[in-house]
């Protein structure tokens, strides 16, 4: 069984197809999805989905760096995080790509959300683009008070190893499956298996076989198979290790993988 640790089933594009998307995910061996909110409007949608599919959709709540212009309402966020079943603070992060809000607008909301995660003892789901050096410095300042995952990791093996030392996991998405993604291949082959998670970031990231708009949680299987190839491993080993990693980080006590309840 596989766990998609980051997908946006709360994206409006899934509204009409969700029962089929979930059925296809289950048929592909995906037993759970972590669904992070990203803007203010997606908070309520995410909570509703988690109530509708309590054994399959596990919610996270946060304000993504692309949407800091919406304003962070920390009390509203705290209310969502307090709901039973919440697994993480996210999606939060830093994105210093030129088309994004300026770094100085992103840093305040990001740090406030990290503080909240540390206070509530929740892991963080972090989006990071072109900001890995700054992110590392910020996370280092929390000195073991924070744990989490760098989702759809793009920072290369050296950064990955430094984040792992700070207690973070590294998640790979469909970008890893592309034959040209040599830097990602080197990262996935060169870090400890105990730190690797699978995800799709559906519907945002294309795989080698599928355009982004058609990517669903079932494509977690394609990411898993790529890691099997890159590490010369077996499917069983990769599936078991990545699922155990996800359950450990996110305390997914209700997800039994291969019939083994998580202790
Ligand atoms: Zn995302």
């Amino acid at each position: 069984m596989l766990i998609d640790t980051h997908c946006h089933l709360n994206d409006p594009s899934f509204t009409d197809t969700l029962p089929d998307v979930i059925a296809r995910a289950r048929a592909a061996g995906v037993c759970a999805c972590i669904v992070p909110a990203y803007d203010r409007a997606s908070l309520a949608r995410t909570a509703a989905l988690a109530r509708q599919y309590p054994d399959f959709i596990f919610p996270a709540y946060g304000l993504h760096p692309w949407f800091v212009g919406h304003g962070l309402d920390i009390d509203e966020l705290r209310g969502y995080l307090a709901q039973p079943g919440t697994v993480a603070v996210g999606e939060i992060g830093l994105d210093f790509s030129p088309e994004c809000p300026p770094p100085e607008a992103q840093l305040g909301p990001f740090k406030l959300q990290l503080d909240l995660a540390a206070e509530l003892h929740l892991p963080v789901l972090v989006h990071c683009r072109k900001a890995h050096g700054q992110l590392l410095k910020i996370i280092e300042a929390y000195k073991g008070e924070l744990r989490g995952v760098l989702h759809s990791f793009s920072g290369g093996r050296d950064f990955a190893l430094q984040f792992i030392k700070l207690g973070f996991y590294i998640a790979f998405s469909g970008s890893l499956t592309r034959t040209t993604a040599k830097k990602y291949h080197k990262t996935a082959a060169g870090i400890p298996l105990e730190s690797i998670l699978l995800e799709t970031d559906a519907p945002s990231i294309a795989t080698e076989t599928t355009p982004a708009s058609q990517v669903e949680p079932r494509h977690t299987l394609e990411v898993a198979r790529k890691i099997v190839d890159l590490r010369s491993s077996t499917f069983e080993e990769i599936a078991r290790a990545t699922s155990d990693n996800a359950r450990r980080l996110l305390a997914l006590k209700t997800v039994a993988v291969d019939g083994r309840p998580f202790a």
Side-chain angles (χ1 to χ4, degrees):
M1 299 292 264
L2 304 169
I3 297 177
D4 185 349
T5 62
H6 193 117
C7 59
H8 295 287
L9 296 180
N10 49 7
D11 186 282
S13 66
F14 284 120
T15 303
D16 296 334
T17 55
L18 197 56
D20 291 340
V21 167
I22 290 176
R24 285 194 288 268
R26 289 189 192 277
V30 177
C31 63
C33 287
I34 311 305
V35 175
Y38 45 94
D39 65 2
R40 297 279 293 277
S42 66
L43 292 167
R45 283 203 304 276
T46 306
L49 287 177
R51 281 193 297 271
Q52 203 178 344
Y53 300 97
D55 60 341
F56 190 79
I57 290 182
F58 295 82
Y61 302 100
L63 184 65
H64 190 291
W66 295 352
F67 304 108
V68 290
H70 293 193
L72 172 65
D73 182 334
I74 202 84
D75 292 328
E76 179 186 42
L77 179 57
R78 191 184 279 275
Y80 278 100
L81 292 170
Q83 294 183 11
T86 298
V87 297
V89 176
E91 179 170 357
I92 63 174
L94 296 175
D95 194 330
F96 293 173
S97 308
E99 65 277 17
C100 293
E104 56 275 20
Q106 297 181 32
L107 284 163
F110 180 53
K111 287 180 186 170
L112 281 173
Q113 293 180 95
L114 292 180
D115 290 345
L116 195 52
E119 178 197 324
L120 300 175
H121 305 291
L122 283 169
V124 288
L125 313 179
V126 178
H127 168 109
C128 183
R129 292 284 179 281
K130 303 187 187 305
H132 291 91
Q134 284 94 334
L135 178 67
L136 192 64
K137 278 200 200 106
I138 290 169
I139 301 284
E140 271 171 347
Y142 284 84
K143 288 197 176 66
E145 286 175 53
L146 268 182
R147 64 197 201 288
V149 53
L150 297 191
H151 107 85
S152 193
F153 187 70
S154 60
R157 187 178 59 180
D158 292 349
F159 268 126
L161 291 171
Q162 293 187 72
F163 283 110
I164 289 167
K165 255 192 226 159
L166 295 173
F168 275 66
Y169 289 73
I170 303 296
F172 294 101
S173 67
S175 43
L176 178 78
T177 64
R178 298 176 208 151
T179 49
T180 52
K182 299 297 178 203
K183 178 177 160 190
Y184 297 173
H185 299 169
K186 199 175 147 192
T187 308
I191 64 175
L193 182 55
E194 304 73 56
S195 302
I196 295 180
L197 299 176
L198 309 175
E199 63 159 282
T200 61
D201 201 19
S204 306
I205 297 182
T207 74
E208 178 70 15
T209 64
T210 307
S213 62
Q214 291 168 33
V215 166
E216 305 173 2
R218 71 184 172 92
H219 293 99
T220 308
L221 183 57
E222 190 175 337
V223 180
R225 284 182 174 145
K226 187 69 183 185
I227 293 177
V228 170
D229 286 351
L230 291 166
R231 297 182 69 96
S232 307
S233 186
T234 63
F235 183 78
E236 289 68 29
E237 186 189 20
I238 297 302
R240 176 165 291 218
T242 56
S243 295
D244 281 350
N245 294 345
R247 292 186 302 161
R248 190 166 59 243
L249 173 67
L250 301 159
L252 303 177
K253 291 192 178 63
T254 58
V255 180
V257 177
D258 304 332
R260 298 172 303 128
F262 187 60

